[in-house]
Amino acid sequence: MPSSSAHPGSPPIEQLQGVVERLTFHSDESGYTVARLKAPRTRELITIVGSFANIQAGQTLQLQGIWRDHPKYGPQFQVKQYKETKPATLTGIEKYLGSGLIKGVGPVTAKRIVAHFGLDTLDIIETHIERLIEVPGIAKKRVKLIQTALDSQKAIKEVMVFLQGHGVSTTYAVKIFKQYGDESIETVTHNPYRLATDVYGIGFVTADEIARSLGISPHSEYRYRSGLLHVLSESAEEGHCYLPQPELIDRAVKRLALPDYQPKPDQVEYLIHAMISDAELIVERLTHEGSTKLLCYAPPFFQAEFHLSRRVLQLLASSLVVDNERVRAWLDRFMAQTDVSLSKQQQQAVEMAASQRVVILTGGPGTGKTFTTRTIVALWKAMGKDIVLASPTGRAAQRLSEVTGHEAKTIHRLLEFDPKTMKFQRNSDNPIPADAVVIDEASMLDLFLANSLIKAIDTNAQLLLVGDTDQLPSVGPGNVLLDLITSGRIPIIELTEVFRQAQASHIIRNAHRINQGQFPNLESVSPSPKTDCLWLGAPEPENGVQAIQELINDLLPELGFQPARDVQVLCPMTRGEVGTRKLNQVLQALINPPCPDKPELTRGGLILRVGDRVLQQVNDYNREVFNGDMGVIEDINLEEIEVTVHYAERSVSYDLADLNEIGLAWAVTIHKSQGSEYPVVILPLYMQHYIMLSRNLLYTGLTRAKKLAILVGPKNAISMAIRQIKDRQRYTLLERRLGGVPKANESLASAIL
């Protein structure tokens, strides 16, 4: 076959045709794919690499590209262009049908259909689908399901062809169609930047690529407005509630820049003022020592922070009359009956909780926060109060319920989220029906969840917030617990005395040493460890991966732990040799290897298998599962292409389009572990993590372990983590709003113009 070359001396362009056997890797965001192709008259599978809008195992592809010799992986075919053709062989048709492309047809059903109709299969499905009833095991109900799936595909085919022509994956094309229906093409053509706010998974970067493909100008006002909001959204991922205007301009200029286009700061500033005028941005004036700063908020952030501060002050303003002598008498009886002596700090906390509307209970591990909370709950019960308990995560709520003997819920369930309206049903007009509310792990409260929670607290109720400010702050924007404490407006009890029984734990003692900037006392790993805090000094990341495998294979089972149930690997980062991505593949193969009786499926290069531990990665209000919830895959239906995950309280099913919401969780980041405890924690720390290493990161990771913690890596990485106090300033005005700073003027935007 003749070939051509684009440039003299470059490899010739060649053509290749074959059937996709399997995907090694596929990114929905970029389309970058590594796959294995079976070509006619070749015994070995061919590795193909390129960008594909949509690709499935079983597809027959005609490819144009060049051959490259990869130094590590050998010969690869670099794809420049491709098109799909109908599969021509029985095996190809079977793989194509069973790939998950058609809901209701999995590998088993595909095999039956092809066995019955042979090479006529695709024509029959397209023109005489009712004949599928002839296939053994396919009932009318299944035929109807397949027909519905095909009709749906036909309805969106035009949309998908259009979008794929502009680099949009099938998954996102379906979501776009669900969002806009028949107006999809018109909407995307007119303003593709709407996708960034309307469709989950499509951010500004993807929308910008689509816009450029459509020929939209880089200085489009739509682009500037979307870019500015994107920059604020990115800053929220760093914990910020706003950005000072100069910083917003600087970040926006960098974000909007293209290889052939450089925006000017004054253009960005002009659009900021235009967005203020259109209420797309809200600006707060902050005057300090004669100079005025302009602080730029996305409206939801401003409203949440402003109303949170007002509601907290409203709660604090409501008086409460309590007989303190009766409270002290009850406390004396309680200590006598339980044969437990509370410290002076704990007793003070109980008395304060009885007499104040809002109280914060804080302190490190082993200082008695849990027992103090339990005592406060017992007191409130004795006072005849209706009490509710909640925590940000399902696991933390379950633990809170166990230690208090009182039902506890997640905050989302407590607030009764309604998927139809996409709002919490509990609010200031319909408050939580309780006289007292306990919120544990309050350090995890971000701005929006805190605002939703506080406004749902009845002004006649009491609120106890329990948390440890030395842990990592919330994943979401704000620094709510710390701001509440430093405002000076809320009664606070900080427990500092470490109890004798807690002092026996080296995990707790070392956590306090780390907090004080001291290196932990660590015992080297041995077959018979004498403490619950160990160290394995594997010097390089590659050694660390091997060391973790050996711990899970040998030491931990010998100590009586079951890796599939008891062991959690916590990493500072997702990337790198000892990041969560790499370790999840290693640990899955080690702890939950493939087995004929364990169904599995592959999506975008990720293998999901029955028995796998998985993590919910976004808030899904329809399924009532939330970012950070951890569960185990209990079933995979290859016919329906459905994955069922069992969480702490119930089971949840995902179809193919929503599988990007979950990921493997044999290894998770320390940030994602907040609010959870595990019998055994393995904590790899290496200098390649230096960007993330910090004292509160190490402290948080270590204190997730209940029975045994094992630090893996060189001591200099541990030392660096202890030295780096990365309580990086988060841009938030909550503390100032609570502490008597003049009220925010909601008409400031027009005043600035």
Side-chain angles (χ1 to χ4, degrees):
M1 181 179 295
S3 59
S4 62
S5 182
H7 301 282
S10 64
I13 299 294
E14 300 190 30
Q15 296 190 32
L16 187 65
Q17 181 168 324
V19 178
V20 178
E21 277 294 313
R22 65 176 181 270
L23 300 184
T24 303
F25 176 81
H26 175 71
S27 168
D28 281 333
E29 286 292 332
S30 65
Y32 178 77
T33 302
V34 180
R36 300 282 277 168
L37 188 85
K38 179 69 174 71
R41 298 180 297 278
T42 57
R43 183 173 298 178
E44 299 293 328
L45 295 179
I46 297 170
T47 299
I48 61 172
V49 179
S51 293
F52 293 80
N54 179 40
I55 186 169
Q56 298 276 357
Q59 285 180 311
T60 300
L61 300 177
Q62 288 183 356
L63 310 169
Q64 285 188 343
I66 58 175
W67 286 99
R68 298 278 193 190
D69 192 27
H70 192 282
K72 185 175 181 181
Y73 301 110
Q76 296 180 340
F77 192 77
Q78 304 277 333
V79 179
K80 301 297 184 183
Q81 293 182 338
Y82 73 95
K83 67 176 182 178
E84 183 184 359
T85 62
K86 286 186 178 181
T89 66
L90 293 177
T91 301
I93 294 170
E94 186 178 311
K95 282 182 173 293
Y96 177 75
L97 285 180
S99 66
L101 208 60
I102 304 172
K103 188 174 177 63
V105 180
V108 176
T109 302
K111 194 176 187 69
R112 291 177 188 154
I113 295 172
V114 174
H116 189 80
F117 293 116
L119 294 174
D120 296 327
T121 295
L122 295 180
D123 289 333
I124 286 171
I125 287 177
E126 190 172 336
T127 59
H128 299 289
I129 195 169
E130 69 279 358
R131 289 191 58 191
L132 288 180
I133 196 73
E134 300 173 16
V135 179
I138 297 185
K140 288 184 178 179
K141 183 178 179 182
R142 176 58 59 82
V143 175
K144 188 174 181 181
L145 178 66
I146 296 170
Q147 177 72 66
T148 302
L150 287 171
D151 288 344
S152 175
Q153 282 191 355
K154 288 176 184 176
I156 67 172
K157 185 174 182 180
E158 182 183 354
V159 175
M160 292 179 69
V161 168
F162 169 80
L163 293 171
Q164 288 180 38
H166 295 286
V168 182
S169 72
T170 303
T171 300
Y172 292 150
V174 172
K175 290 188 174 186
I176 290 169
F177 183 80
K178 286 181 179 178
Q179 178 73 28
Y180 304 121
D182 294 337
E183 298 177 359
S184 297
I185 294 177
E186 181 184 352
T187 302
V188 172
T189 303
H190 178 64
N191 179 14
Y193 294 100
R194 282 186 59 182
L195 301 176
T197 53
D198 293 350
V199 182
Y200 169 74
I202 298 182
F204 171 78
V205 174
T206 302
D208 202 30
E209 290 173 355
I210 296 170
R212 290 205 301 277
S213 177
L214 290 166
I216 291 176
S217 169
H219 55 259
S220 158
E221 186 170 318
Y222 289 134
R223 182 171 187 263
Y224 271 63
R225 289 174 182 257
S226 180
L228 282 162
L229 292 175
H230 174 68
V231 167
L232 286 174
S233 178
E234 281 186 320
S235 74
E237 294 176 8
E238 301 169 25
H240 301 312
C241 298
Y242 66 84
L243 284 178
Q245 182 172 291
E247 188 169 340
L248 175 59
I249 292 172
D250 183 58
R251 291 190 184 204
V253 166
K254 292 176 181 175
R255 170 53 69 190
L256 292 168
L258 296 171
D260 56 349
Y261 176 75
Q262 182 65 38
K264 296 179 180 178
D266 59 347
Q267 293 175 306
V268 177
E269 185 175 1
Y270 172 81
L271 255 298
I272 288 175
H273 286 267
M275 292 175 73
I276 294 168
S277 179
D278 295 338
E280 290 184 75
L281 286 179
I282 293 178
V283 170
E284 177 83 278
R285 284 183 185 272
L286 181 62
T287 302
H288 180 66
E289 296 180 351
S291 63
T292 299
K293 293 182 179 179
L294 303 182
L295 313 178
C296 299
Y297 283 84
F301 292 77
F302 177 88
Q303 299 295 344
E305 188 178 82
F306 180 79
H307 290 297
L308 171 58
S309 64
R310 301 282 76 76
R311 185 66 172 183
V312 169
L313 293 173
Q314 188 179 7
L315 290 174
L316 291 169
S318 179
S319 61
L320 188 65
V321 178
V322 174
D323 187 339
N324 291 322
E325 291 301 321
R326 289 188 65 185
V327 171
R328 295 188 187 98
W330 177 90
L331 189 53
D332 289 339
R333 291 195 302 273
F334 177 82
M335 289 190 289
Q337 291 167 1
T338 57
D339 197 27
V340 173
S341 179
L342 275 70
S343 69
K344 289 184 179 179
Q345 287 179 331
Q346 288 178 305
Q347 292 181 49
Q348 186 181 357
V350 175
E351 293 174 16
M352 188 178 289
S355 59
Q356 300 291 331
R357 285 289 178 197
V358 183
V359 172
I360 295 176
L361 175 64
T362 186
T367 57
K369 291 195 307 294
T370 298
F371 190 77
T372 305
T373 303
R374 179 179 166 188
T375 305
I376 291 170
V377 170
L379 170 61
W380 278 344
K381 282 183 180 179
M383 296 172 75
K385 294 181 181 292
D386 290 327
I387 309 165
V388 296
L389 289 78
S391 190
T393 68
R395 288 192 169 217
Q398 189 176 19
R399 189 174 69 250
L400 180 61
S401 180
E402 290 168 358
V403 299
T404 60
H406 192 287
E407 181 191 9
K409 301 178 180 180
T410 61
I411 295 174
H412 290 87
R413 287 202 167 190
L414 177 66
L415 297 178
E416 300 176 18
F417 186 82
D418 182 1
K420 293 181 181 178
T421 62
M422 295 301 288
K423 294 180 180 179
F424 290 115
Q425 295 185 64
R426 295 294 175 185
N427 50 46
S428 55
D429 296 323
N430 182 31
I432 298 164
D435 302 312
V437 178
V438 178
I439 302 297
D440 196 16
E441 299 290 351
S443 62
M444 296 179 66
L445 288 173
D446 65 24
L447 175 67
F448 292 105
L449 187 57
N451 180 46
S452 296
L453 170 69
I454 298 298
K455 72 181 179 183
I457 305 292
D458 192 288
T459 52
N460 293 316
Q462 293 176 263
L463 174 64
L464 173 66
L465 297 171
V466 184
D468 182 353
T469 56
D470 290 320
Q471 290 188 28
L472 290 168
S474 61
V475 175
N479 206 351
V480 175
L481 183 62
L482 187 60
D483 281 350
L484 292 175
I485 290 173
T486 54
S487 72
R489 299 299 294 268
I490 298 173
I492 300 159
I493 288 293
E494 181 179 6
L495 304 178
T496 57
E497 179 184 343
V498 180
F499 286 88
R500 187 180 305 168
Q501 59 269 33
Q503 290 178 0
S505 167
H506 280 68
I507 293 173
I508 290 176
R509 288 163 62 181
N510 281 329
H512 286 279
R513 286 183 63 86
I514 289 167
N515 246 355
Q516 294 160 11
Q518 301 173 8
F519 197 90
N521 293 320
L522 300 169
E523 177 189 345
S524 295
V525 166
S526 67
S528 302
K530 297 180 176 61
T531 75
D532 59 1
C533 199
L534 308 177
W535 171 66
L536 183 55
E540 299 296 331
E542 296 82 0
N543 307 132
V545 175
Q546 181 64 34
I548 291 170
Q549 290 177 280
E550 291 173 0
L551 288 171
I552 289 172
N553 265 337
D554 304 324
L555 178 66
L556 294 174
E558 289 175 9
L559 296 177
F561 296 109
Q562 297 181 26
R565 184 191 66 193
D566 300 329
V567 180
Q568 183 63 58
V569 177
L570 300 180
C571 307
M573 297 177 67
T574 59
R575 298 177 181 177
E577 280 293 313
V578 280
T580 59
R581 291 177 187 171
K582 177 68 178 290
L583 283 175
N584 266 316
Q585 295 177 3
V586 172
L587 296 172
Q588 181 189 47
L590 187 67
I591 301 173
N592 190 37
C595 179
D597 62 353
K598 286 183 183 177
E600 65 178 56
L601 62 81
T602 302
R603 185 192 180 284
L606 172 68
I607 298 173
L608 295 174
R609 185 176 296 134
V610 168
D612 275 336
R613 187 184 302 160
V614 293
L615 188 79
Q616 177 74 16
Q617 299 177 125
V618 297
N619 288 334
D620 186 331
Y621 294 104
N622 289 300
R623 292 184 176 87
E624 291 190 57
V625 284
F626 304 100
N627 190 355
D629 285 352
M630 195 177 288
V632 175
I633 296 178
E634 62 180 5
D635 183 52
I636 296 178
N637 187 327
L638 294 174
E639 295 291 325
E640 302 290 343
I641 315 296
E642 266 189 355
V643 174
T644 303
V645 178
H646 181 72
Y647 291 100
E649 299 174 336
R650 62 200 180 91
S651 295
V652 174
S653 293
Y654 300 82
D655 58 26
L656 185 65
D658 293 318
L659 284 179
N660 60 341
E661 292 188 4
I662 60 174
L664 290 175
W666 299 112
V668 299
T669 62
I670 297 171
H671 281 85
K672 292 286 188 180
S673 74
Q674 288 176 265
S676 296
E677 285 185 347
Y678 315 96
V680 179
V681 164
I682 298 176
L683 193 60
L685 294 171
Y686 284 87
M687 294 304 289
Q688 67 175 213
H689 299 143
Y690 73 94
I691 294 175
M692 294 297 297
L693 292 179
S694 68
R695 185 178 298 179
N696 59 1
L697 185 92
L698 175 56
Y699 173 85
T700 301
L702 184 65
T703 54
R704 299 309 90 202
K706 291 170 63 178
K707 297 181 179 179
L708 180 64
I710 306 176
L711 278 64
V712 176
K715 287 189 174 181
N716 63 338
I718 301 174
S719 296
M720 172 173 275
I722 294 168
R723 288 196 305 271
Q724 297 197 104
I725 305 175
K726 285 192 177 178
D727 295 331
R728 187 170 53 186
Q729 177 66 41
R730 291 186 167 199
Y731 292 131
T732 161
L733 290 184
L734 179 60
E735 176 191 347
R736 297 176 67 88
R737 296 187 197 281
L738 289 169
V741 174
K743 291 184 178 181
N745 184 345
E746 292 177 280
S747 65
L748 278 173
S750 59
I752 291 169
L753 298 174

